[in-house]
Amino acid sequence: QTLTLTGQALIAHDLCKTAYPGLAEVIAEVRRGDVALTDLETAILTSTSGSPTREGEFLHAAGTDELRCLRAFGFDMLALANNHAWDFGSAGVLATRQAALEAGFVTAGSGVNLVEACQAARLATPDQTVALVSMAVGKIRDGGAATATRPGINELRLASPGVPDDSDVKRMLAAIDEAAGSAKVVVCLHNHDWGDDMRDTQPWTRTFARRCIDAGASAFFAHGAPLLHGIELHRGAPIFYCLGSLIFHSRTAP
């Protein structure tokens, strides 16, 4: 069985409606894997979404047409933990998750509370079960993280610069360990802890990724910075420290 792991999907327009030359080749590449995964770096606007918590170019929103397009690409699983999941508040986090589930995706990284947001999401295939654990670090605004009683995303906090919160790390590793007993686990980290240079992988990220593999993950991939970082094999498992963006519908200064 093979997996397709891609850069994040910051999608705002239905690419499938106005296909451009070369799009079919991109879709064919995504579909080469038996299971395809990406990070949905936008909120899905539905009738149950809340009010915007941002404005201007940094408010990222898409609709159900864009979700259908991602399904047409061949994506099966979506990581939903990122710094734009809360762009329509807590109601928007749940609306995005519900819309993705209704579109046929398996999702991880958000939920009605922290337990649901952290737990692995499973996709059964004829060969084996694939489980996705999703979390985000950096630029998560107050209210965006799930708690025991509040909807939100699975946040990995930093206790101090370069030092992840130990209780959060233990929670992530426990979710990986629990899923690894019955599935091949893939970990997705949405990482906005860039330090002084977004081209550099922070040392704590390398340590954390390796610990995820040690806990039972079969692969680790990350997003956040809109560019590529390095690749490492740890105990035979691939670590992609940043896959950048597959779709990036955002017009900002370089």
Side-chain angles (χ1 to χ4, degrees), residues 93-94 97-98 101 107-121 132-134 146-148 150-154 171 175:
V93 172
L94 296 181
R97 182 175 183 269
Q98 184 61 34
L101 292 172
T107 72
S110 68
V112 297
N113 53 39
L114 184 56
V115 171
E116 187 172 71
C118 186
Q119 69 186 10
L132 174 64
V133 176
S134 164
T147 68
R150 183 181 68 197
I153 62 103
N154 185 29
R171 186 178 74 253

Side-chain angles (χ1 to χ4, degrees), residues 137-150:
V137 61
K139 297 187 179 179
I140 307 302
R141 291 172 293 153
D142 289 343
T147 68
T149 58
R150 183 181 68 197

